[in-house]
């Protein structure tokens, strides 16, 4: 447990913005931090299985992708995900090269207003049907909007969003009482392991 106020602030930000990742419900999440937080972020993730990749920086803020590498790689090997990535012009599927390409496009979007790289949704583990739907409908005509805009499997996704909400509530509560990121992850995993199978 960490009761240092500055460190607790970062643990709280990670808990608030990345709870689905911490709880093992998602392979990745975005994390937005002040531009001077990189070293603190590395320390916060030190005893976890998570990696980070800087996607963009502007106006004193940095956008990071926090991810669990094996889970993200597994998701990105899905045939539908790979098909959409190829349609979007990606020949290279190795994770670091893919993140570099997406980061370059996202940076270009942030600074020059070019088209948003919708493939970021795939790297965030969004369902292909929702990424395709968002692209085809220009972000309109969705069935539901929560953690992302939903274009298919409404019932299952709403159930997942509820799980995300519960994970966030728990992660924030733990961060507020001084749990570090690694402790939050361990607590959430133990809690999930004790749940009865549905």
């Amino acid at each position: 447990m960490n009761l240092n106020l500055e460190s607790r602030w970062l643990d709280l930000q990670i808990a608030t913005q990345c709870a689905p990742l911490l709880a093992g419900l998602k392979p990745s999440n975005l994390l937005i931090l002040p531009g001077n937080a990189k070293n603190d972020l590395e320390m916060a993730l030190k005893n976890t299985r998570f990696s980070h990749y800087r996607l963009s920086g502007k106006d004193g803020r940095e956008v990071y992708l926090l991810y669990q590498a094996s889970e993200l790689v597994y998701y990105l090997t899905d045939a539908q995900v790979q098909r959409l990535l190829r349609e979007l012009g990606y020949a290279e599927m190795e994770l670091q090269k893919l993140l570099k390409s997406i980061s370059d496009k996202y940076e270009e979007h942030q600074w020059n207003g070019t088209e948003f790289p919708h493939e970021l949704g795939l790297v965030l583990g969004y369902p292909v049907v929702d990424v395709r739907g968002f692209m085809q409908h220009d972000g309109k005509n969705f069935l539901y909007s929560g953690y992302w805009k939903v274009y298919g499997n409404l019932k299952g996704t709403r159930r997942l969003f509820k799980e995300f909400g519960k994970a966030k509530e728990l992660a924030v509560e733990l961060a507020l009482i001084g749990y570090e990121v690694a402790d939050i992850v361990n607590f959430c995993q133990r809690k999930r392991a004790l749940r009865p199978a549905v």
Side-chain angles (χ1 to χ4, degrees), residues 29-100:
N29 267 110
L30 290 182
L31 177 67
I32 302 170
L33 294 174
N36 60 354
K38 184 175 188 279
N39 291 339
D40 292 333
L41 176 59
E42 288 173 357
M43 288 301 295
L45 299 179
K46 187 176 179 187
N47 295 317
T48 72
R49 63 180 191 265
F50 304 121
S51 300
H52 64 86
Y53 192 95
R54 181 194 172 277
L55 291 174
S56 178
K58 187 177 180 186
D59 300 328
R61 297 180 330 152
E62 301 280 334
V63 178
Y64 292 95
L65 179 77
L66 261 58
Y67 62 97
Q68 206 281 323
S70 62
E71 294 294 321
L72 184 54
V73 167
Y74 179 76
Y75 174 76
L76 292 172
T77 60
D78 177 83
Q80 289 184 39
V81 172
Q82 296 226 334
R83 187 177 311 118
L84 183 51
L85 284 170
R86 280 192 298 276
E87 287 172 24
L88 293 169
Y90 290 88
E92 181 56 62
M93 300 293 177
E94 192 272 318
L95 183 59
Q96 291 303 308
K97 291 179 182 175
L98 182 64
L99 292 179
K100 169 78 169 97

Side-chain angles (χ1 to χ4, degrees), residues 72 75-76 81 84-85 118-126 128 131:
L72 184 54
Y75 174 76
L76 292 172
V81 172
L84 183 51
L85 284 170
H118 296 293
E119 53 272 30
L120 182 56
L122 296 174
V123 173
L124 288 169
Y126 298 172
V128 172
V131 176

Side-chain angles (χ1 to χ4, degrees), residues 135-147:
M135 292 167 58
Q136 290 168 351
H137 298 281
D138 199 27
K140 300 174 183 140
N141 304 323
F142 47 88
L143 301 173
Y144 185 76
S145 182
Y147 286 83

